[in-house]
Amino acid sequence: IHAIYEKNADNMCEELGDLLLQVMLHAEIGYEEKEFTLNDVIKNLNKKIINRHPYIFNKKEKVSPTVPPISVIIISALLFAA
């Protein structure tokens, strides 16, 4: 939280890396124990975002089926950035 208030991009990047590490480690443990996969985590996040923000996702206009959900875009960017 300190990194956000201080608007320190380097510190924020470091903190987000720590958070991502936790997500990846717990997803790997879940996978090894055959409880869930990283894909399950992403799918649940996508459902949660849609349920919490229906005013954004329940619009009548059609969205291109080639545009993936935002959570998939974020996770893909993180996974393939290395």
Side-chain angles (χ1 to χ4, degrees):
I1 294 175
H2 182 71
I4 295 170
Y5 288 128
E6 294 295 318
K7 297 182 181 179
N8 183 322
D10 290 335
N11 197 7
M12 184 73 160
C13 184
E14 181 182 344
E15 295 298 331
L16 289 172
D18 292 345
L19 183 59
L20 181 59
L21 176 62
Q22 289 299 312
V23 171
M24 299 303 291
L25 286 173
H26 286 281
E28 180 62 24
I29 292 167
Y31 175 76
E32 289 176 4
E33 294 181 0
K34 298 184 182 2
E35 294 177 350
F36 59 89
T37 66
L38 179 59
N39 196 39
D40 296 330
V41 173
I42 295 168
K43 285 180 182 179
N44 285 328
L45 173 60
N46 193 48
K47 286 179 191 176
K48 186 182 290 187
I49 290 171
I50 291 169
N51 287 333
R52 288 186 180 176
H53 304 284
Y55 53 92
I56 294 172
F57 296 101
N58 286 340
K59 292 183 178 180
K60 299 291 182 195
E61 71 260 12
K62 296 198 182 239
V63 177
S64 169
T66 60
V67 178
I70 190 67
S71 58
V72 173
I73 294 169
I74 293 168
I75 297 297
S76 296
L78 294 170
L79 291 176
F80 296 109

